[in-house]
Amino acid sequence: MALQREAGVQDFVLLDQVSMEKFMDNLRKRFQVGSIYTYIGEVCVSMNPYRQMNIYGPETIRKYKGRELFENAPHLYAIADAAYRVLKQRQQDTCILISGESGAGKTEASKIIMKYIAAVTNAQGQNEIERVKNVLIQSNAILETFGNAKTNRNDNSSRFGKYMDIEFDYKADPVGGIITNYLLEKSRVVQQQPGERNFHSFYQLLRGANDNELRQYELQKETGKYHYLNQGSMDILTEKSDYKGTCNAFKTLGFSTDEVQTIWRTIAAVLHLGNVEFQTIEDELVISNKQHLKSTAKLLQVTESELSMALTKRVIAAGGNVMQKDHNATQAEYGKDALAKAIYDRLFTWIISRINRAILFRGSKTQARFNSVIGVLDIYGFEIFDSNSFEQFCINYCNEKLQQLFIELVLKQEQEEYQREGIEWTNIDYFNNKIICDLVEQPHKGIIAIMDEACLSVGKVTDDTLLGAMDKNLSKHPHYTSRQLKPTDKELKHREDFRITHYAGDVVYNINGFIEKNKDTLYQDFKRLLHNSKDANLSEMWPEGAQDIKKTTKRPLTAGTLFQRSMADLVVTLLKKEPFYVRCIKPNDIKSATVFDEERVEHQVRYLGLLENLRVRRAGFVHRQRYDKFLLRYKMISQYTWPNFRAGSDRDGVRVLIEEKGFAQDVKYGHTKIFIRSPHTLFALEQQRNEMIPHIVTLLQKQVRGWIVRRNFKKMKAAIAIMRAYKTYKLRSYVQELANRFRGAKQTRDYGKSIQWPQPPLAGRKAEAKLHRIFDFWRAYMILRKYPRSQWPQLRLQIIAATALGGRRPYWGQQRRWLGDYLANSQDNSGYEAYNASLRMIQIRQVLFSAFAKKINQCNKQKNRAFIVTDSTIYKLEGIKRKFHDMKRSIGIRELTSISVSPGRDQLIVFHSPKNKDLVFSLQGEHTPLKEDRIGEVVGIVCKKYHDLTGTELRVNVSSTIPCRLDGKPRTISVEAASNLEVPNFHCKEGRIIFEVPAAYCV
C-alpha cells in the first residue's frame, strides 16, 4: 500500500527551523500542489486558490464532522468544527476571526464556514432551525450586493466590516443570530479610484432589472450616464443573475414588497442625485438640470421644492432664532455628496437591522439564558495603497487592535493551558503593538483625540492645521513622522503626508480630507427632509429628523470616535469568547491560480504577524495532545502498547511508549496531555507510524476480508436454505392449487383443457412447463385410449400435419388410412419388385413414404418420376419404365427451408432447398390421377422427421401461387383450374409455370 506524501508540512510548527525563508518555502510548496490550507497550531492559514476547488462537498463535510484538527488535512471545515464542538461540549461561546487583505478570500471563507455549520446541524429537520440556517446563508447575498464592490485587487471586495453572532440553543442547533457592521466605505458612493467601481447594487439595478422596472425608476441601462458610476470602471460582471439572486434572498428573508421597493427606489434616487448640477446665475445658486432633481424627489417621496431648498440653502438655529443661509456651488456640491453618502449608509444599516429582525432569536428570555453563540468576524484586512486616506487609517487601526487582541489571546491561551496542565511557563518575547494602538486611540494624546479637538475648534480649521497639531503632539513618538519632522525624507510630501510605522510595515497617509471625513457633517435640513418622506421605511431611517429645529442638540460624535468605540466594543465581545483564527493570503495581484508572488505573499505574512505567531507557538512546546488521542495514534509503533495497552491508564501507556523510543528528555507530562518540545521528536514518531501503517493495513485487510468472506458464506448458506424451503413451500402450494382446480377434469368433455391455470410463483416457473407436459400427456392418453394402439402412429402424424397446415387446406387425407410406402404395394405399383430391387441397390432399409409423381424441371419439361422419404433424406427416382433407378438427386430433410402446398385438392408439393434446387412434385397414381389425398401424409412425415433432427418446426406454406427456384432460377408456380381436364398438367406461360388441375380440385 503506497502512502501519498503531503507537500511540505501541514503545520508550520513542525518546520525544522523558524525563518521567513522556510516559512515561504513551505507555503509555496503547498500552494503549487493545491494544498491551500496550512496550520500554525490551531490557526488556519488560507491561500486564495483563484479557482474552483472540489473540497467542499457533502463527502468532505462528513469527513471533518466531529474530528480533531490533526486527524485530517488542514481545512476551514476543521476550524469550524472545532469551534462548534467547543460550543456543543462545553457550552462555551466561540468566535472565528477571519482577516487578510482585500482579495485574499475572507468573504468566501466566512461563507464556507457558514455552509459547514448549516450542514452539521439540525439532523431532525426542524422547520424553525432550517429557516434560521437559510436566512443566515441568504443574508450573505444581500450584504455582498450592498456592501461589496469591485476594486483593483478584488472583483468582490467587502467594503465594510462584518461580525455575525450565530445563536445556538442548548441542543447546539442554530436558533437565531445578529449581524453588526463596521465602517462602510461610503465615500465610494460618490467617488471611485481609476479601475474600481461603485457598490454592486447600482450595477445590478441598471443591468439586471427589466425595462418596466427601469421606467418606474426613470433610469436607463447605460452606466456611463450617471456621474456616481462613470468615474471608475465600466466592467460588466454577473449583474443580471446576481440581481435575481438578491431579489430571491429578499423573499427568503421575509422582506415585504414595499420594503424591497424602498430599497431599489433609494438606490435609483442616489443615481439621480449624483447627476444634479449647480449653477450660479447673478449671484444666485440654481439647479441647472431639473429633471434629475424631479426624479430624485419622486423616488425619495419628498416634494421637489423641499429637496431643492435643502440642496441650495441651509437653515441655522441660534439662540432660539431660525435663519436661512444660501450655499455657494462648492458648498452645495459638498452637501449633495454628503447626502448621497448618508442615504446609502443609512439604507445599508437599515437593511442589516431588517435582516437581524428576520434572524433574531424568537424564544423567551429564560430559554435565551441557555443559548451559546459562534461569532464570525469578516473584516477588512490591512490596506496600503498609493494614496491612503482616512478610510485606510481606520481600517489599519482596526487591524492593529485585532493583532493586539490576537497576540494577547494566543499568549493567554498558551499560559492558561500550561497552568491548567501543571507545566512550567516560560515568558516569551514578542513585538507588542500596544504602542501603535495608543498612538491612535490614547485619550487626549492619540491621533483620534487630536482630530476631534481640531474638529471642535472655533474658526476655520484645515487639514494643514490638523497635520501641524499632530506633528506638535507626536513629534517624539517612534512610530510617527512627517516631512516637517524629517525634512530629508523625500518620500513624504511637505504639509500633506505623515507616516505611521504599523506592525505590518510603514504606511504613508495623505492628510487631505481627514477633517471633513472625521466630522462626517450632514446638515439637519437633510435629516428633516427625509424623516418627512411619505415612504414610511425611508422615514424610519432618519429618526433624528423629528427633533424641533430650535432644540439645542449635542454635537454628534466624530466618525473616528465612533469607529474607535465600535472597535472597543468588538474587542470586549471577542474577549468573552474562545477564539479561532483564519488568516487569508492573496498569492498574486493578477488572480492567477498558478502564480506565487514571493514579494506580495511575504509582505502579507509579515503584516499578518504569522511568523510572530509561529514563534509564540514554538517558544514552549510545539505539540500537545490528550493522552488517549496520542496513544490511539502512535500505539502501533511499540510492542508494549499494540494492539491495546492494558497495564495502566492512557498516561502510563504514553509514558511507556515515549521511554521505549528514547524521547523522554524532550517531553513533559501534563494532567491530561503530553507536551512535545521539539518538532524532530514528532517527525520521528510520525515516520515510525508511517512505516508501520502499511503492515497494519495489510493485517487488518487480511482479517477483515476473511471475516467478510466467512460472514458472506454463512449468509449465502442461510439464504440458500431459506430460499429452498420457501421455493418448496410455494411449489407445494401451487401444485395443491392445481390439484384442487383439476380435481374433476376427468369428468369434463375436454378433460380439463378449458380450465384456467393459476399464475405460477417465481419458484414454480420451471416446474410449470413440466406440469403442463404431464397434463398434456395425461389428456392425450385420455383422448387416445379409445383408439387401438396400432393407430397411434398415424394419429400422431395427422396431428403434426394438421398443426403444420393450420386449417389453410381443408382436404389433406385425414379420413383415410395412411400406408406410407405405397410403391411397395402391388395394388399401387405393378413394378413393386423392381422398386424393391432398386431400394436394395441404393441400400435403403426403411421407407417412410413413397409415391409416383409428376415433376417439372428448369427446362419446363415434365416427367413421370417417383420419390421416397426416409429417416433423413428425400430421394428422386426414375419412373416405372426405368425400374426406379436412383437419379442421384436428393435433399436432406435437415436442409429443408420450407414446404409449399396449395389450398385445393391437387397433390402439388414443393420441397424448398437452400441450394436453390427445389423439388416440385405432383403426386399421382401409376397410370391415373390419385383418387385420394396424400399431401397431409407426406407433410406430417417430413415435418416430424425435421423436428426430430433439428428440434425446430418446419415452415409449411399454403398458397395458390408458389415461388420457387429451379437450378438457381427464380420461378413462380400458379395453380389454375381448367374445364374438361382430367389429368393435372404442367405447362409454361409467359415465364410462369402453370399447374392446371380439374375444376373439381379447386372446390
Side-chain angles (χ1 to χ4, degrees):
M1 175 182 171
L3 292 172
Q4 182 181 357
R5 291 187 62 83
E6 182 78 17
V9 296
Q10 295 185 354
D11 193 330
F12 285 108
V13 170
L14 303 180
L15 288 173
D16 54 1
Q17 180 183 349
V18 179
S19 68
M20 180 59 75
E21 290 75 19
K22 292 286 186 180
F23 194 98
M24 291 293 294
D25 181 61
N26 190 59
L27 207 56
R28 184 193 318 103
K29 285 179 181 177
R30 293 182 61 76
F31 175 73
Q32 288 171 348
V33 298
S35 297
I36 62 172
Y37 300 120
T38 313
Y39 293 141
I40 304 176
E42 293 179 349
V43 175
C44 181
V45 179
S46 169
M47 295 284 286
N48 190 339
Y50 284 121
R51 60 188 171 96
Q52 293 295 322
M53 303 281 288
N54 188 27
I55 56 172
Y56 304 108
E59 282 296 323
T60 311
I61 290 174
R62 283 194 287 273
K63 181 180 176 182
Y64 283 86
K65 184 178 180 181
R67 298 292 182 181
E68 298 286 346
L69 280 176
F70 61 84
E71 290 188 61
N72 291 304
H75 201 292
L76 285 177
Y77 286 170
I79 298 295
D81 192 79
Y84 180 67
R85 275 188 292 110
V86 168
L87 175 138
K88 188 173 184 178
Q89 295 171 4
R90 306 209 306 254
Q91 297 294 306
Q92 168 70 46
D93 291 349
T94 61
C95 62
I96 301 173
L97 279 63
I98 307 170
S99 59
E101 74 169 45
S102 177
K106 301 186 300 298
T107 301
E108 284 303 313
S110 68
K111 289 194 284 189
I112 290 167
I113 289 169
M114 295 276 292
K115 175 185 174 183
Y116 180 83
I117 293 172
V120 298
T121 54
N122 193 27
Q124 292 78 28
Q126 299 172 40
N127 292 335
E128 177 61 16
I129 296 171
E130 200 63 32
R131 183 194 70 81
V132 171
K133 283 163 51 175
N134 289 336
V135 167
L136 291 172
I137 293 172
Q138 289 294 329
S139 65
N140 280 321
I142 297 174
L143 295 177
E144 286 184 18
T145 295
F146 294 92
N148 288 25
K150 178 188 180 302
T151 66
N152 291 319
R153 295 184 176 182
N154 184 4
D155 285 349
N156 189 34
S157 175
S158 297
R159 306 317 299 162
F160 71 105
K162 178 182 70 175
Y163 177 74
M164 175 182 286
D165 264 337
I166 308 170
E167 196 165 358
F168 296 82
D169 63 10
Y170 67 97
K171 302 189 300 299
D173 285 327
V175 291
I178 189 165
I179 300 170
T180 306
N181 65 303
Y182 299 96
L183 192 66
L184 177 72
E185 189 190 20
K186 58 186 178 181
S187 61
R188 183 173 292 271
V189 175
V190 299
Q191 187 177 14
Q192 305 91 44
Q193 296 293 328
E196 299 195 352
R197 299 198 325 175
N198 210 321
F199 292 100
H200 293 326
S201 54
F202 296 106
Y203 305 92
Q204 285 188 19
L205 178 60
L206 293 179
R207 292 171 177 165
N210 59 43
D211 292 339
N212 288 334
E213 289 174 311
L214 290 178
R215 276 195 297 273
Q216 180 183 344
Y217 303 134
E218 301 180 6
L219 293 173
Q220 299 179 36
K221 283 185 178 294
E222 294 81 2
T223 56
K225 292 187 176 182
Y226 299 97
H227 175 65
Y228 284 162
L229 303 184
N230 60 22
Q231 303 168 61
S233 168
M234 298 294 176
D235 289 354
I236 297 175
L237 302 179
T238 55
E239 284 88 5
K240 198 160 190 176
S241 59
D242 291 344
Y243 177 76
K244 291 181 180 177
T246 303
C247 292
N248 290 333
F250 281 138
K251 290 181 182 177
T252 302
L253 269 65
F255 279 68
S256 68
T257 305
D258 286 344
E259 290 172 332
V260 175
Q261 283 286 327
T262 295
I263 292 168
W264 294 122
R265 272 203 311 270
T266 306
I267 296 297
V270 171
L271 289 175
H272 284 294
L273 182 60
N275 282 10
V276 171
E277 295 176 355
F278 302 98
Q279 189 175 2
T280 304
I281 300 176
E282 296 180 357
D283 295 331
E284 183 180 356
L285 185 68
V286 295
I287 295 173
S288 57
N289 49 352
K290 296 282 189 179
Q291 183 55 47
H292 285 293
L293 177 70
K294 182 178 180 182
S295 298
T296 306
K298 175 184 173 184
L299 294 167
L300 295 176
Q301 296 191 10
V302 298
T303 66
E304 184 180 348
S305 60
E306 289 176 339
L307 178 58
S308 176
M309 181 75 70
L311 288 170
T312 58
K313 302 178 188 299
R314 179 184 176 190
V315 175
I316 300 173
N321 297 318
V322 176
M323 53 185 172
Q324 216 171 45
K325 178 186 176 185
D326 291 338
H327 287 320
N328 58 34
T330 304
Q331 292 170 332
E333 284 289 346
Y334 171 81
K336 179 191 76 172
D337 289 346
L339 175 60
K341 292 188 289 184
I343 288 174
Y344 195 86
D345 184 56
R346 294 292 179 100
L347 174 66
F348 186 69
T349 304
W350 179 83
I351 289 173
I352 290 179
S353 67
R354 181 60 186 78
I355 293 172
N356 285 337
R357 288 209 300 270
I359 58 176
L360 199 63
F361 176 59
R362 299 181 177 180
S364 66
K365 290 183 179 180
T366 304
Q367 291 172 318
R369 286 167 48 203
F370 301 99
N371 290 352
S372 304
V373 298
I374 292 179
V376 179
L377 179 65
D378 169 13
I379 204 158
Y380 15 63
F382 204 86
E383 291 189 347
I384 305 176
F385 297 144
D386 293 335
S387 177
N388 301 290
S389 187
F390 180 78
E391 290 83 6
Q392 283 67 49
F393 172 77
C394 291
I395 287 170
N396 294 342
Y397 162 62
C398 167
N399 280 270
E400 290 285 358
K401 290 295 289 182
L402 293 176
Q403 177 67 9
Q404 182 186 20
L405 175 70
F406 173 66
I407 294 294
E408 285 181 1
L409 287 177
V410 167
L411 291 173
K412 181 182 175 185
Q413 282 179 327
E414 292 279 308
Q415 184 174 7
E416 285 180 351
E417 183 166 32
Y418 287 158
Q419 290 175 348
R420 192 166 54 245
E421 293 291 330
I423 304 295
E424 185 180 349
W425 167 255
T426 304
N427 286 323
I428 301 167
D429 292 328
Y430 64 95
F431 172 67
N432 190 340
N433 67 335
K434 183 177 185 301
I435 187 172
I436 304 174
C437 294
D438 288 345
L439 169 65
V440 177
E441 67 183 10
Q442 189 174 12
H444 311 299
K445 296 180 181 180
I447 293 176
I448 292 177
I450 296 170
M451 282 195 297
D452 286 355
E453 186 176 350
C455 292
L456 293 172
S457 298
V458 179
K460 188 174 182 180
V461 179
T462 64
D463 294 316
D464 185 25
T465 308
L466 171 62
L467 184 58
M470 289 166 57
D471 289 344
K472 179 181 178 182
N473 287 278
L474 304 172
S475 59
K476 296 181 181 179
H477 200 288
H479 291 266
Y480 173 88
T481 188
S482 70
R483 183 68 178 274
Q484 294 76 253
L485 298 177
K486 285 190 177 181
T488 58
D489 193 339
K490 299 296 178 65
E491 183 185 353
L492 300 173
K493 293 180 182 178
H494 188 67
R495 308 194 73 82
E496 282 191 24
D497 293 346
F498 66 93
R499 181 192 295 124
I500 295 178
T501 303
H502 289 279
Y503 76 93
D506 291 350
V507 181
V508 176
Y509 297 98
N510 190 298
I511 197 67
N512 292 329
F514 265 61
I515 288 289
E516 288 301 336
K517 290 177 180 178
N518 189 48
K519 282 183 178 179
D520 197 19
T521 305
L522 182 69
Y523 303 138
Q524 287 291 333
D525 305 65
F526 293 132
K527 298 177 183 178
R528 287 191 293 272
L529 174 73
L530 294 174
H531 177 74
N532 293 322
S533 169
K534 293 179 181 177
D535 186 329
N537 296 314
L538 187 60
S539 176
E540 180 187 332
M541 302 176 200
W542 300 89
E544 66 271 44
Q547 292 177 355
D548 186 359
I549 192 170
K550 297 179 181 180
K551 183 178 179 181
T552 303
T553 58
K554 289 183 180 179
R555 184 184 293 268
L557 295 174
T558 61
T561 300
L562 287 172
F563 188 69
Q564 178 188 347
R565 290 187 179 182
S566 65
M567 284 297 99
D569 291 341
L570 176 62
V571 168
V572 169
T573 300
L574 297 178
L575 282 171
K576 295 177 182 176
K577 298 174 171 57
E578 183 166 333
F580 294 85
Y581 298 94
V582 177
R583 300 304 208 199
C584 299
I585 293 179
K586 184 179 182 179
N588 56 75
D589 285 327
I590 59 174
K591 302 169 187 173
S592 169
T594 57
V595 175
F596 185 88
D597 188 329
E598 294 274 349
E599 187 178 344
R600 288 286 290 115
V601 174
E602 183 175 335
H603 174 70
Q604 294 170 78
V605 169
R606 288 188 187 282
Y607 80 61
L608 285 171
L610 299 184
L611 214 56
E612 202 86 61
N613 181 205
L614 177 57
R615 290 193 181 100
V616 168
R617 186 74 180 185
R618 283 280 294 264
F621 294 86
V622 302
H623 187 73
R624 70 289 311 267
Q625 202 171 104
R626 287 200 339 243
Y627 291 122
D628 57 337
K629 297 288 184 181
F630 185 89
L631 192 60
L632 184 65
R633 185 169 182 83
Y634 298 110
K635 64 181 181 179
M636 71 280 295
I637 68 174
S638 170
Q639 59 179 330
Y640 302 113
T641 56
W642 177 259
N644 291 299
F645 181 75
R646 303 187 185 281
S649 64
D650 291 335
R651 177 174 177 168
D652 297 331
V654 171
R655 188 184 290 275
V656 167
L657 187 153
I658 291 294
E659 289 177 355
E660 182 197 355
K661 297 301 175 183
F663 300 133
Q665 300 302 316
D666 201 39
V667 303
K668 291 284 186 181
Y669 300 98
H671 299 310
T672 63
K673 292 181 179 180
I674 179 173
F675 290 75
I676 299 175
R677 188 182 305 278
S678 167
H680 297 292
T681 300
L682 195 60
F683 271 130
L685 290 169
E686 283 293 322
Q687 185 176 359
Q688 293 181 43
R689 180 178 182 272
N690 289 339
E691 289 172 357
M692 286 299 300
I693 281 178
H695 304 293
I696 294 171
V697 169
T698 302
L699 174 65
L700 293 175
Q701 285 178 337
K702 182 178 71 174
Q703 297 294 330
V704 172
R705 284 171 180 166
W707 174 78
I708 290 172
V709 170
R710 288 190 296 274
R711 183 193 64 179
N712 290 343
F713 177 71
K714 290 179 180 178
K715 285 183 177 180
M716 285 168 56
K717 285 186 66 176
I720 289 170
I722 293 169
M723 288 167 62
R724 188 183 295 119
Y726 181 74
K727 284 181 179 179
T728 303
Y729 162 74
K730 296 297 286 185
L731 195 56
R732 282 179 178 172
S733 302
Y734 179 61
V735 172
Q736 185 61 47
E737 186 176 356
L738 280 176
N740 294 335
R741 288 198 182 193
F742 286 89
R743 196 176 299 282
K746 190 175 182 180
Q747 283 72 42
T748 61
R749 186 175 180 179
D750 61 355
Y751 297 109
K753 181 181 179 181
S754 59
I755 296 175
Q756 181 71 32
W757 281 63
Q759 183 71 23
L762 191 62
R765 295 276 173 86
K766 293 182 179 179
E768 183 191 28
K770 295 178 181 179
L771 291 170
H772 265 291
R773 190 168 179 79
I774 293 171
F775 171 73
D776 291 341
F777 274 116
W778 173 80
R779 183 170 174 274
Y781 168 77
M782 295 301 293
I783 294 172
L784 294 173
R785 66 179 180 173
K786 56 187 175 184
Y787 299 97
R789 279 194 174 268
S790 59
Q791 295 180 14
W792 283 19
Q794 178 175 327
L795 286 171
R796 182 177 289 108
L797 291 177
Q798 286 179 334
I799 291 170
I800 292 171
T803 303
L805 294 170
R808 293 171 291 174
R809 180 179 172 111
Y811 306 101
W812 43 272
Q814 61 267 46
Q815 301 298 330
R816 66 176 186 83
R817 186 183 175 202
W818 292 359
L819 300 178
D821 191 5
Y822 292 97
L823 296 183
N825 187 353
S826 59
Q827 294 179 356
D828 284 87
N829 180 14
S830 58
Y832 69 93
E833 292 178 350
Y835 166 74
N836 290 331
S838 177
L839 292 182
R840 287 193 295 274
M841 183 71 68
I842 58 180
Q843 297 182 345
I844 295 176
R845 297 181 180 179
Q846 183 181 12
V847 176
L848 301 179
F849 182 85
S850 62
F852 289 106
K854 183 177 290 185
K855 57 97 40 184
I856 187 168
N857 61 18
Q858 69 272 16
C859 299
N860 302 324
K861 293 181 179 181
Q862 56 182 353
K863 298 287 186 180
N864 291 324
R865 296 283 187 260
F867 77 95
I868 60 177
V869 179
T870 67
D871 279 340
S872 61
T873 313
I874 301 173
Y875 292 92
K876 183 171 73 170
L877 306 177
E878 293 282 4
I880 190 171
K881 291 181 180 180
R882 301 289 298 274
K883 296 184 179 180
F884 303 104
H885 286 166
D886 182 13
M887 296 185 69
K888 307 297 183 183
R889 174 81 168 88
S890 62
I891 298 178
I893 293 176
R894 180 191 292 273
E895 297 174 357
L896 290 176
T897 58
S898 61
I899 299 174
S900 295
V901 298
S902 72
R905 289 174 177 271
D906 60 85
Q907 301 300 293
L908 177 66
I909 187 166
V910 179
F911 297 102
H912 297 283
S913 164
K915 299 177 181 178
N916 297 328
K917 292 184 178 181
D918 298 347
L919 290 178
V920 181
F921 292 126
S922 173
L923 306 187
Q924 61 182 17
E926 184 176 352
H927 303 293
T928 60
L930 285 176
K931 296 179 181 179
E932 57 189 13
D933 199 319
R934 294 180 182 174
I935 287 295
E937 186 175 0
V938 67
V939 168
I941 290 170
V942 173
C943 286
K944 180 179 183 302
K945 285 301 166 185
Y946 184 86
H947 185 274
D948 292 344
L949 292 170
T950 66
T952 58
E953 303 294 336
L954 180 63
R955 188 175 80 251
V956 178
N957 308 312
V958 181
S959 175
S960 297
T961 303
I962 301 173
C964 65
R965 299 182 76 87
L966 299 179
D967 200 19
K969 297 179 181 179
R971 306 294 293 275
T972 302
I973 303 172
S974 299
V975 180
E976 296 181 0
S979 58
N980 301 323
L981 184 70
E982 294 183 359
V983 179
N985 191 22
F986 290 102
H987 73 273
C988 184
K989 181 180 179 182
E990 297 177 355
R992 294 187 303 125
I993 299 174
I994 306 300
F995 182 53
E996 293 184 333
V997 298
Y1001 281 22
C1002 294
V1003 176

